[in-house]
Amino acid sequence: MFSEVKFPVPWGHLAAKAWGPPEGHPVLCLHGWLDNANTFDRLIPLLPKDHHYVAMDFSGHGLSSHRPAGSPYHFLDYVSDVRRVAAALQWRRFTLMGHSMGGAVAGMFCFLYPEMVDKLILLENLGFLLAPEDTEAWLKSKRMVIDRLLSLEARQQAPKARSPEAALQRLLEANRHLTAEGGAILLQRGATETPAGLVYNRDMRVRTQSRESLTMEQCVKLLQKIQDRVLIVLARDGLLVPHKLESKNHFVIALREAFERTLKEHIQLVEVPGSHFVHMNEPEVVSGIISNFLAAHNTRARL
């Protein structure tokens, strides 16, 4: 059983769902890009019952309010969403668990507020967004953010309504790692029924988000700021298997080595069978690993 929660923000509210006793150890769960809090629906019931889990919808996703008209979505906006929710919950120190983009948000939050995080769990993410190595590619990506935003505003298209079957099919086509069951779970929170059909809840502007990308050198320096224990779970058929990444291969290998070299015994890196959504498609594959990590005493000394 879970309960729905809303946290007021200046532009509306941030929505979330909560499981477990309020007095339990707090765990804040962060979903991936274009997903929503339901991504944890099948995993959290398998985790320790004495923890209090809150899975939030980032602004512009799920049941959370869209940002004001004219506002783009910056990566740091999602990090500030986390800080707002933590403040509303009055959590001074808690565990962060993030999937995909949520892992990058969790990583950045750890670097900015290391004193607030006791453990970090990254599912199919290494905690960083890679900056293009070519300057022209970096400039092009920034220009594209502005151009796409202005193009969306100029078109002012109403959200497209689809039949439930078509809405699910579109979601599965865009997410080849999702099963039909997982897609249906995401749609429960990710779409609203209208007389014309289902309309996706997400703000179209989230597709234009400006990323907070980092160089390899910056990543290594930031790792030294982490005060918590880290669990990284990568799926063998996911998005971060080095030999399948081609251009990013050297980055992922170097970053994994940097994690292990810097955090040493305080990091646990596990590869499991499954795809990018393994935590949702086959939660039993990762639930035991995560449960043991949550239950373990945190021995890492605070810096």
Side-chain angles (χ1 to χ4, degrees):
M1 294 294 292
F2 65 88
S3 58
E4 290 286 347
V5 192
K6 285 186 178 181
F7 306 102
V9 292
W11 62 93
H13 68 269
L14 292 172
K17 51 199 307 187
W19 293 257
E23 68 278 6
H25 183 80
V27 181
L28 188 58
C29 308
L30 312 179
H31 64 77
W33 184 57
L34 300 179
D35 298 334
N36 56 65
N38 278 14
T39 193
F40 297 104
D41 273 13
R42 299 189 65 209
L43 173 62
I44 289 177
L46 303 180
L47 301 182
K49 308 298 184 192
D50 57 347
H51 286 54
H52 183 57
Y53 305 91
V54 174
M56 60 179 284
D57 293 326
F58 287 123
S59 52
H61 295 73
L63 301 181
S64 287
S65 299
H66 296 185
R67 289 193 171 267
S71 300
Y73 283 78
H74 294 286
F75 178 76
L76 276 180
D77 291 335
Y78 298 132
V79 182
S80 68
D81 286 348
V82 174
R83 187 64 185 88
R84 289 176 188 275
V85 168
L89 290 167
Q90 297 184 325
W91 287 357
R92 297 182 61 188
R93 194 159 167 80
F94 53 94
T95 295
L96 267 177
M97 176 165 62
H99 171 248
S100 197
M101 183 193 80
V105 174
M108 182 60 73
F109 186 90
C110 281
F111 306 140
L112 296 176
Y113 300 97
E115 73 283 0
M116 294 187 70
V117 182
D118 62 3
K119 292 180 181 178
L120 175 63
I121 302 170
L122 303 175
L123 306 176
E124 272 287 284
N125 191 276
L126 293 173
F128 299 94
L129 294 174
L130 172 64
E133 295 181 350
D134 178 65
T135 302
E136 289 302 316
W138 179 83
L139 287 172
K140 183 178 179 180
S141 70
K142 297 301 180 185
R143 174 171 173 157
M144 193 177 297
V145 169
I146 298 172
D147 290 348
R148 283 181 175 175
L149 177 65
L150 297 181
S151 175
L152 275 175
E153 291 177 348
R155 291 202 304 268
Q156 292 187 330
Q157 285 182 326
K160 183 177 180 179
R162 296 176 168 88
S163 68
E165 296 77 17
L168 177 58
Q169 184 60 33
R170 176 69 186 87
L171 187 62
L172 296 179
E173 288 172 357
N175 297 273
R176 63 181 179 84
H177 294 267
L178 262 183
T179 63
E181 181 184 5
I185 291 173
L186 287 178
L187 271 185
Q188 290 171 8
R189 195 176 186 90
T192 297
E193 191 171 347
T194 72
L198 286 182
V199 173
Y200 294 137
N201 292 339
R202 62 195 181 212
D203 189 338
M204 287 298 293
R205 290 174 297 168
V206 302
R207 291 181 173 275
T208 70
Q209 71 168 337
S210 178
R211 296 187 169 198
E212 198 74 23
S213 304
L214 302 168
T215 64
M216 187 64 219
E217 183 181 4
Q218 289 173 318
C219 293
V220 173
K221 287 183 178 179
L222 286 173
L223 281 177
Q224 298 168 5
K225 285 187 158 296
I226 293 182
Q227 296 182 8
D228 45 320
R229 293 179 64 239
V230 180
L231 169 65
I232 300 177
V233 180
L234 302 180
R236 294 192 184 117
D237 293 314
L239 301 183
L240 290 172
V241 181
H243 69 272
K244 295 184 179 180
L245 285 172
E246 299 175 358
S247 63
K248 294 183 181 178
N249 186 9
H250 69 286
F251 170 77
V252 172
I253 292 174
L255 189 52
R256 287 174 62 160
E257 291 176 350
F259 259 106
E260 294 171 338
R261 183 175 63 253
T262 305
L263 300 180
K264 299 178 181 176
E265 71 274 14
H266 302 295
I267 183 172
Q268 182 182 355
L269 198 154
V270 183
E271 288 190 9
V272 298
S275 68
H276 186 58
F277 283 88
V278 63
H279 70 291
M280 193 177 189
N281 297 337
E282 300 152 312
E284 65 281 354
V285 171
V286 298
S287 60
I289 298 167
I290 296 172
S291 294
N292 290 337
F293 182 77
L294 288 172
H297 179 63
N298 194 348
T299 57
R300 184 163 171 78
R302 299 197 52 193
L303 304 179

